[in-house]
Amino acid sequence: MSNSNFHEITSPEQFQSLLSQDLSRVSLINFWAPWAGPCKKMNEIVLELAKKYPQLLVLQVEAETQEDIAGSFEVDSVPAFIILRGHTLLSRIPGADAAALTQAIETHARIPPTPLSKTSQSPAPASNYSIADDKQETPAQLEQRMRDLMNQQKIVLFMKGDRVTPRCGFSRKIVALLESQNVTDFATFDILKDEKVRQGLKTLNNWPTFPQLIIDGEFVGGLDVVKDMVDNGELAGLIAQ
Amino acid sequence: MPINLVDLEAAIRDAVPVAHLEVEDQSSGCGENYAIILVSEAFEGKNTLARHRFVNEVLKAEIAQMHAFSQKTFTPKQYEAYLAKQA
C-alpha cells in the first residue's frame, strides 16, 4: 500500500480497487475538469485536506476522461465532491463550496475508522470476463454474436447494470423513461459484464456511449435521442409496428 | 473557455433553416452544460437519430468544448403538436 493517501484516478478498475481495500475508511472523491476555473482552487483545497487527514482516502477523478465513474455517481457538473465510508454515501457537495467541503471532511474524517475486521489478503481481482473470452472469437463471430443479441427480442436495451440495478444514472433514466411510456417488454444486456460487446457495439452502431436502445434489430439511439422521440411521437410509432 | 452563445447560434443557423431555436445554459456552478430545442423543416424525413447525428456533426467543435450537451429536435408540424400537448 502506498504511503500517500492521494490518488489521481486513471481507470474504473483502479478506482474500485482503492475503494474496496478498506470498507471502513472514509474517502473523498473530487470530480474536476482542467478547463473549469473554480476546480483549480478546489483542487488545492483537496490537496491540503489530504495532507491534514492522512486517514482520509482522496481520489481525484477527471470527470470527462472517467465518464463511467462520473456517470455512476450522477455527476453532471464540476467540481463535485462525494464523501464515502467504504461504499456508503455520507455526503455529496456540488459546486465549488470550500466551506461546506471543509466542514464535511472535518465531521466525517475526525473519528479515525475502527475496522470491523482486518485481513492481510488483497481484494479479489475484479471479474470482467465474458464467456466469450474463454474461446477465441474472430471479429466476424463477435459481430454475429452482437447482431444475435440485438435481434433476440423486438426491443433490446444495452445498458450498464440491469433493470433492477442500473449502474449508471443515464441507464437508470432510460429504463424509467421506457416504463413511463408503458414499454415494459424489453430485454436488457449488461455491457459492464462483456468488454468485447461493449467496445464492439460502439463501433457497430457508430455511437460512443451507453445506454443504447435497439428496436427490431436496429440501433435507435441513446437516452437523449429516446427522450426526443418520446416528445416528437416517433417512439410510439416504432413500438407499434 | 466558455462557449460563445452567439457563435453557437450562428453555427446552427448557417447549417439549417431555423423555424425556432432555444439555447439554455443548464450548468449549476461551473461547467458548460447546454440544452437546445431546434425546430427546422430540414428535419422532415429524417428520423430522430439522423437528426441528432446531424446536429452533433454540425456542432462538433462547440460540443467538444462542452461538458454536456442535449438536444430536442422537431419539424415545424411536430413542434406545433408538442406545444399543443403542453398546453
Side-chain angles (χ1 to χ4, degrees):
Chain A
M1 194 129 91
S2 92
N3 291 332
S4 168
N5 60 337
F6 180 90
H7 301 268
E8 183 78 50
I9 298 297
T10 53
S11 76
E13 293 72 31
Q14 178 206 19
F15 181 76
Q16 269 308 319
S17 160
L18 285 167
L19 265 187
S20 305
Q21 272 171 14
D22 183 349
L23 290 182
S24 60
R25 189 174 187 184
V26 174
S27 60
L28 167 63
I29 308 171
N30 171 16
F31 289 97
W32 72 291
W35 41 256
C39 293
K40 230 184 249 119
K41 173 179 145 221
M42 293 309 291
N43 284 5
E44 284 167 27
I45 292 178
V46 166
L47 262 173
E48 280 170 29
L49 287 169
K51 286 199 197 103
K52 184 169 176 195
Y53 299 97
Q55 72 270 38
L56 180 71
L57 177 66
V58 180
L59 306 177
Q60 191 140 299
V61 179
E62 204 187 316
E64 284 180 320
T65 53
Q66 299 300 325
E67 54 169 14
D68 291 341
I69 304 176
S72 69
F73 285 96
E74 292 193 278
V75 166
D76 58 14
S77 67
V78 287
F81 305 91
I82 305 279
I83 301 174
L84 307 172
R85 184 189 304 281
H87 296 156
T88 309
L89 179 70
L90 294 179
S91 185
R92 174 194 289 265
I93 299 152
D97 194 340
L101 178 62
T102 313
Q103 178 67 56
I105 295 296
E106 252 171 67
T107 308
H108 293 296
R110 200 186 319 149
I111 308 150
T114 45
L116 295 172
S117 66
K118 278 194 201 287
T119 175
S120 55
Q121 290 188 326
S122 46
S127 169
N128 203 16
Y129 293 114
S130 67
I131 308 158
D133 274 352
D134 293 337
K135 5 188 226 270
Q136 299 286 39
E137 195 175 36
T138 66
Q141 288 171 327
L142 174 61
E143 186 176 325
Q144 187 56 52
R145 185 158 69 90
M146 292 191 294
R147 291 199 183 281
D148 288 344
L149 285 168
M150 285 166 61
N151 281 295
Q152 65 181 287
Q153 213 173 303
K154 182 178 173 74
I155 306 174
V156 181
L157 178 66
F158 289 85
M159 62 184 287
K160 296 184 179 179
D162 59 47
R163 225 157 135 168
V164 172
T165 27
R167 298 225 181 260
C168 116
F170 301 125
S171 286
R172 182 180 321 119
K173 286 187 179 135
I174 202 174
V175 169
L177 179 62
L178 289 171
E179 290 175 351
S180 77
Q181 299 298 308
N182 287 324
V183 178
T184 48
D185 191 7
F186 59 92
T188 66
F189 183 91
D190 185 352
I191 50 101
L192 293 175
K193 295 210 161 89
D194 193 325
E195 192 57 31
K196 284 204 189 146
V197 169
R198 180 179 182 173
Q199 298 311 325
L201 227 46
K202 289 183 188 180
T203 309
L204 185 65
N205 292 329
N206 190 17
W207 195 260
T209 53
F210 289 94
Q212 292 189 9
L213 184 66
I214 314 293
I215 300 183
D216 292 325
E218 295 209 351
F219 173 66
V220 155
L223 174 62
D224 201 34
V225 175
V226 174
K227 264 201 236 169
D228 201 0
M229 289 169 70
V230 168
D231 286 333
N232 65 24
E234 191 179 322
L235 186 69
L238 279 183
I239 307 289
Q241 280 168 18
Chain B
M1 192 152 36
I3 306 295
N4 184 324
L5 286 182
V6 172
D7 288 346
L8 182 64
E9 194 165 321
I12 297 172
R13 290 186 186 276
D14 273 346
V16 286
V18 173
H20 181 75
L21 173 63
E22 287 175 36
V23 180
E24 197 189 325
D25 180 343
Q26 296 187 327
S27 64
S28 47
C30 78
E32 277 93 22
N33 185 339
Y34 288 94
I36 68 166
I37 299 182
L38 176 53
V39 183
S40 169
E41 64 196 38
F43 290 142
E44 289 283 356
K46 278 197 168 79
N47 70 15
T48 307
L49 178 60
R51 299 176 197 180
H52 278 238
R53 288 202 201 266
F54 177 73
V55 171
N56 288 345
E57 193 56 40
V58 165
L59 299 178
K60 194 149 77 170
E62 289 79 5
I63 292 174
Q65 295 180 58
M66 296 179 193
H67 181 77
F69 172 76
S70 67
Q71 50 173 299
K72 262 198 184 345
T73 57
F74 299 97
T75 61
K77 265 199 289 266
Q78 288 173 331
Y79 190 56
E80 278 180 39
Y82 174 71
L83 289 177
K85 253 196 298 181
Q86 310 269 303

